[in-house]
């Protein structure tokens, strides 16, 4: 159980942006989705978060103290870099997007325009990601979430048309086009303000180089009507100091204006939350399907294995009892010996079934030893590489899912692949656990319904993981599973 962090004023965890200790519960007592809580924690400080999570429901904040309430008010260097570097990026992205759209529209009737337009949308998506990261670095906090529709399928034309129908991609295009003049203005103002301030501060050193004309024109004389070199230096120096003093405020306002455009076009928390809800609903359906498949398989395995042996055991014992009643113990002894053998085999099969459900070694010693035991039981030689430090424990749901994936993959290899060797590689970081199972078998595996790998995909969908299978005819077969670690811990 993780320790509850100290809480600051207003109930926030000590330190800005810290995670909420324990689940956030609504008015009905049901916890909000744990994956959304860290995201909402990043969206703002206490005032914004209190409006996002209010009365147990997600709501958009009605007002944010803009721009003075935004963090990063002293990030002058980062914000100046953000504004000045944004101009060349805006020129490149604007030219690429505009030219790509024009070429795509002009050749759309020839079908060449479809891949050109899709490529333009992909380029706009890349530029949008750069803008998101730059905005987060300049303002000091992550932007709200965005969502791109998943583009899956085997047919190329279907994937192209689905890419054209993605709303967020067109919002990225709109940002590339509208952001060009805005970023040009903000960069010009920031550059002019800083250069003018620095020039005024150093006016005493370069004022001699200014051509005065026959009337010896100076700024001080044009304002006051009095000719005074010292007064002109004092006025220009004072203006330079004033510009430099106000530069952080001006740069902050310009940064907030540009960040506001990014928040408006490059984020879409409504679509992200809707996609999240759909993923949760799909995960629930997958959980139901996986549970039903597990129960059916368990029932079939018990019926075909231990149940048949127990029936045979009962028949042998009844025969032995009859022979004992006939005062013929010698003839009963072979039946009793066979009954004992049936008992041992039934117990062995029940232990094997229990290992497939929840092996004790997984709970006691962790994922590495459990996978080593599973590899040792596989009839095909297994080269196991678990990149976890000794004693490292992951959340129970992560470990059980990874063990299920490896054990089922090894079972499929032993039954169907005709392989002579298997390599299992497990790596993990702070966010995801990756499992790769590679065999040198005949290939041809796929995720179609009714096949063993479909159950693996359903099991991973429960924890919002992913499964990829690369298995060309003739092999090799590479199965790659990713299990998210974040959000799956035990409270």
């Amino acid at each position: 159980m993780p320790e509850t962090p100290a809480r600051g004023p207003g109930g926030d965890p000590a330190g800005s942006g810290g995670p909420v200790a324990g689940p956030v519960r609504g008015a009905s007592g049901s916890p909000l989705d744990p994956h959304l809580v860290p995201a909402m924690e990043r969206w703002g400080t206490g005032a914004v978060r209190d409006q996002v999570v209010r009365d147990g429901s997600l709501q958009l904040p009605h007002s944010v103290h803009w721009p003075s309430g935004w963090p990063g008010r002293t990030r002058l260097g980062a914000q100046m870099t953000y504004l000045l570097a944004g101009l060349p990026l805006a020129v490149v992205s604007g030219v690429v997007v505009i030219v790509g759209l024009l070429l795509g529209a002009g050749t759309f009737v020839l079908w060449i325009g479809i891949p050109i337009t899709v490529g333009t949308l992909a380029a706009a998506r890349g530029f949008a990601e750069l803008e998101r990261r730059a905005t987060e670095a300049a303002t000091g906090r992550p932007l709200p979430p965005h969502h791109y529709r998943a583009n899956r399928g085997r047919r190329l034309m279907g994937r192209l048309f689905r890419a054209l129908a993605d709303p967020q991609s067109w919002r990225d295009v709109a940002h590339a086009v509208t952001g060009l003049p805005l970023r040009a203005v903000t960069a010009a103002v920031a550059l002019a303000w800083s250069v003018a301030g620095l020039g005024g501060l150093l006016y005493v050193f370069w004022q001699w180089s200014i051509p005065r004309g026959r009337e010896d024109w100076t700024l001080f004389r044009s304002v006051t009507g009095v000719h005074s070199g010292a007064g002109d230096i004092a006025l220009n120096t004072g203006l330079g100091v004033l510009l430099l003093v106000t530069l952080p405020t001006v740069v902050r306002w310009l940064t907030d204006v540009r960040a506001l455009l990014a928040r408006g076009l490059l984020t879409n928390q409504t679509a992200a939350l809707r996609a999240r809800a759909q993923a949760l609903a799909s995960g629930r359906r997958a959980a139901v399907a996986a549970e039903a498949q597990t129960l059916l398989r368990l029932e079939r395995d018990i019926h075909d294995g231990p149940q048949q042996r127990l029936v045979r055991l009962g028949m042998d014992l009844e025969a032995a009892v009859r022979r004992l009643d006939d005062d013929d113990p010698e003839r009963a002894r072979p039946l009793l010996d066979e009954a004992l053998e049936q008992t041992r085999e039934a117990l062995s099969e029940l232990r094997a079934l229990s290992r497939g459900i929840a092996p004790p070694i997984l709970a006691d010693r962790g994922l590495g030893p459990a996978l080593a035991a599973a590899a040792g039981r596989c009839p095909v030689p297994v080269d196991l590489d678990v990149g976890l430090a000794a004693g490292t424990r992951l959340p129970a749901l992560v470990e059980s899912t990874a063990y299920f994936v490896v054990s089922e993959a090894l079972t499929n290899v032993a039954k169907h692949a005709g392989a002579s060797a298997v390599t299992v590689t497990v790596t993990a970081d702070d966010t995801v656990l990756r499992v790769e199972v590679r065999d040198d078998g005949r290939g041809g595996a796929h995720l179609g319904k009714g096949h063993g790998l479909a159950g693996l995909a359903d099991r991973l969908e429960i924890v919002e993981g992913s499964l990829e299978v690369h298995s060309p005819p003739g092999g090799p077969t590479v199965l790659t599973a990713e299990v998210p670690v974040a959000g799956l811990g035990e409270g």
Side-chain angles (χ1 to χ4, degrees):
M1 293 287 291
E3 295 182 358
T4 303
R7 306 189 76 79
D12 293 337
S16 61
V20 174
V24 178
R25 296 187 176 273
S28 61
S30 60
L32 292 175
D33 177 48
H35 293 269
L36 292 177
V37 174
M40 292 185 293
E41 283 292 323
R42 297 194 301 266
W43 292 350
T45 55
V48 177
R49 185 170 59 255
D50 290 342
Q51 296 190 40
V52 174
V53 183
R54 186 171 64 251
D55 296 332
S57 60
L58 295 175
Q59 301 186 29
L60 295 179
H62 294 293
S63 63
V64 177
H65 298 293
W66 176 83
S68 60
W70 288 22
R73 291 193 293 272
T74 60
R75 299 171 175 267
L76 180 59
Q79 292 173 351
M80 281 294 296
T81 303
Y82 173 64
L83 294 174
L84 298 181
L87 179 56
L89 180 62
V91 172
V92 173
S93 61
V95 170
V96 169
V97 169
I98 293 174
V99 172
L101 290 179
L102 292 177
L103 288 176
T107 58
F108 202 85
V109 294
L110 302 177
W111 297 97
I112 303 176
I114 297 179
I116 293 177
T117 305
V118 172
T120 303
L121 294 179
R125 181 171 176 171
F127 289 125
E129 188 62 27
L130 289 177
E131 180 68 9
R132 292 188 191 99
R133 300 289 80 78
T135 302
E136 290 172 349
T139 59
R141 70 174 184 183
L143 292 170
H146 58 279
H147 173 67
Y148 294 98
R149 293 179 180 176
N151 192 354
R152 302 186 181 93
R154 296 184 178 180
R155 295 184 178 180
L156 177 60
M157 291 304 297
R159 292 173 62 88
L160 291 177
F161 280 110
R162 278 189 292 272
L164 290 176
D166 185 11
Q168 183 58 53
S169 296
W170 291 103
R171 292 166 67 94
D172 297 342
V173 169
H175 180 271
V177 175
T178 60
L180 177 58
L182 178 63
R183 285 189 275 188
V185 171
T186 54
V189 172
L191 182 61
W193 203 280
S194 58
V195 169
L198 186 61
L201 182 65
L202 303 177
Y203 180 76
V204 65
F205 299 106
W206 60 273
Q207 51 85 24
W208 57 268
S209 63
I210 299 177
R212 306 292 184 180
R214 288 180 298 177
E215 298 182 0
D216 196 18
W217 179 92
T218 62
L219 179 62
F220 183 81
R221 183 175 182 179
S222 64
V223 173
T224 64
V226 179
H227 177 70
S228 173
D232 184 57
I233 293 175
L235 177 61
N236 282 275
T237 303
L239 289 176
V241 171
L242 178 62
L243 291 175
L244 291 179
V245 168
T246 57
L247 179 63
T249 301
V250 173
V251 169
R252 185 177 71 247
W253 276 78
L254 295 174
T255 300
D256 291 343
V257 169
R258 180 174 158 188
L260 187 63
L261 179 65
R263 291 170 66 91
L265 291 177
L266 301 185
T267 66
N268 192 340
Q269 54 189 347
T270 301
L273 293 174
R274 185 183 300 113
R276 175 71 180 146
Q278 293 174 352
L280 291 175
S282 178
R284 284 194 296 268
R285 291 191 297 268
V288 173
E291 182 181 5
Q293 287 183 351
T294 301
L295 291 176
L296 288 174
R297 184 181 60 183
L298 183 61
E299 180 183 6
R300 182 180 63 251
D301 292 342
I302 292 176
H303 179 273
D304 295 341
Q307 180 176 331
Q308 298 297 327
R309 297 191 183 278
L310 292 175
V311 171
R312 176 69 181 273
L313 173 63
M315 296 173 62
D316 290 343
L317 291 176
E318 289 178 356
V321 169
R322 287 195 301 268
R323 293 182 181 181
L324 289 174
D325 291 340
D326 295 337
D327 294 330
D328 192 0
E330 292 301 327
R331 294 183 60 189
R333 182 178 298 276
L335 294 176
L336 293 177
D337 291 338
E338 188 173 352
L340 288 174
E341 182 63 25
Q342 295 291 335
T343 303
R344 296 189 190 97
E345 293 182 359
L347 182 59
S348 176
E349 291 183 354
L350 287 174
R351 286 174 177 171
L353 290 175
S354 67
R355 283 196 299 265
I357 299 173
I361 190 175
L362 180 62
D364 296 339
R365 300 178 56 189
L367 183 60
L371 293 181
R377 294 191 301 269
C378 183
V380 181
V382 178
D383 182 11
L384 179 64
D385 180 14
V386 180
L388 298 176
T392 300
R393 297 304 302 268
L394 298 172
L397 185 57
V398 176
E399 290 186 341
S400 63
T401 302
Y403 177 84
F404 179 84
V405 169
V406 174
S407 61
E408 285 296 304
L410 293 180
T411 300
N412 287 336
V413 169
K415 289 183 177 179
H416 309 296
S420 60
V422 184
T423 301
V424 178
T425 305
V426 179
T427 58
D429 53 32
D430 294 337
T431 59
V432 67
L433 173 73
R434 295 179 179 85
V435 177
E436 180 182 285
V437 180
R438 178 187 295 267
D439 68 74
D440 58 355
R442 63 176 61 95
H446 58 87
L447 293 174
K449 292 297 182 181
H451 294 263
L453 295 181
L456 287 181
D458 290 339
R459 183 68 174 261
L460 286 166
E461 190 174 359
I462 297 173
V463 296
E464 299 184 36
S466 62
L467 179 67
E468 293 184 2
V469 177
H470 179 71
S471 183
T477 297
V478 181
L479 183 149
T480 305
E482 293 189 352
V483 184
V485 175
L488 296 180
E490 297 177 349

